[in-house]
């Protein structure tokens, strides 16, 4: 009976340890990271990019042909997806189809490839809007200098039209932008640590500088990973297995000693 009770507690504690250490965190809840309203404008260059936070919806009124820039933070272990929707001018005012594209750059202004999504799309003349998306690779805490791996820091979303009839330049459009992030889990963690996140210095522009983009809890700098949880959970399970094994061995040895005593 004692051995049965010990094994029952081992099973309960093992299950609790596994449930307490999930491998992948849930996606962003989508709430605004700031108390103020969502940004209602976009920058026209890297230096004037409007800062937004993951889950925050930004809008901008612009003219067809403008380059629109937003800046946002992505930390180590996160996978970011950018979303952009363009509300097109009245179909009667347009002369032909138009092709729109989103590009994402890191803090070193290196263009990052999209692993998922539709970063480029052509809108028919009669279309009312066009939606684009781009899911980046998981941000690494450290990388070789020659590699183009995404690193922690400020990222830039650029939205523009790439193919347009000259007669349609300058027509008014409305752009909506949003960034969502998910935690990729310890499976994507690396041992190296970047000294500082790739965040540009604040400029003298009147708009909010991109350097203001920073996670609410600060930069993790790669020291934290869910691998710590799995390591701790493995240690707990190993200790429980040792206790359970000792209890089984001790319990099975008692009848033999009793028989010898008789």
């Amino acid at each position: 009976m004692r051995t049965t009770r010990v094994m029952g507690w081992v099973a309960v504690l093992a299950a609790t340890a596994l449930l307490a250490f999930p491998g992948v965190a849930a996606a962003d809840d989508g709430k605004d990271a700031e108390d103020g309203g969502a940004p209602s404008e976009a920058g026209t260059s890297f230096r004037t990019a409007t800062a937004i936070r993951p889950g925050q919806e930004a809008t901008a009124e612009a003219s067809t042909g403008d380059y629109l820039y937003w800046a946002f933070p992505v930390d180590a272990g996160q996978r970011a997806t950018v979303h952009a929707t363009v509300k097109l001018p009245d179909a009667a005012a347009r002369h032909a189809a138009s092709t729109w594209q989103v590009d994402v750059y890191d803090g070193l202004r290196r263009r990052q490839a999209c692993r998922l999504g539709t970063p480029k799309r052509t809108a028919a003349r009669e279309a009312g809007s066009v939606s684009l998306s781009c899911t980046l690779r998981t941000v690494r805490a450290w990388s070789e200098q020659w590699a183009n791996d995404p690193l922690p820091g400020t990222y830039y979303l650029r939205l523009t039209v790439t193919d347009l009839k000259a007669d349609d330049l300058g027509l008014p459009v409305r752009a909506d932008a949003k960034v969502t992030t998910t935690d990729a889990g310890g499976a994507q963690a690396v041992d190296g640590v970047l000294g500082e996140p790739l965040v540009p210095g604040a400029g003298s522009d009147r708009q909010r500088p991109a350097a203001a983009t920073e996670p609410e809890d600060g930069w993790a700098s790669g020291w934290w990973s869910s691998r710590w949880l799995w390591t701790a959970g493995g240690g707990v399970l190993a200790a429980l297995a040792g206790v359970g094994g000792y209890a089984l061995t001790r319990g099975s040895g008692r009848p033999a000693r009793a028989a010898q005593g008789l």
Side-chain angles (χ1 to χ4, degrees), residues 21-35:
F21 304 128
V24 180
D28 228 326
D29 59 7
K31 294 182 180 179
D32 287 353
E34 297 179 332
D35 295 333

Side-chain angles (χ1 to χ4, degrees), residues 33-49:
E34 297 179 332
D35 295 333
S40 58
E41 61 182 4
T44 56
S45 68
F46 286 103
R47 287 179 59 82
T48 61

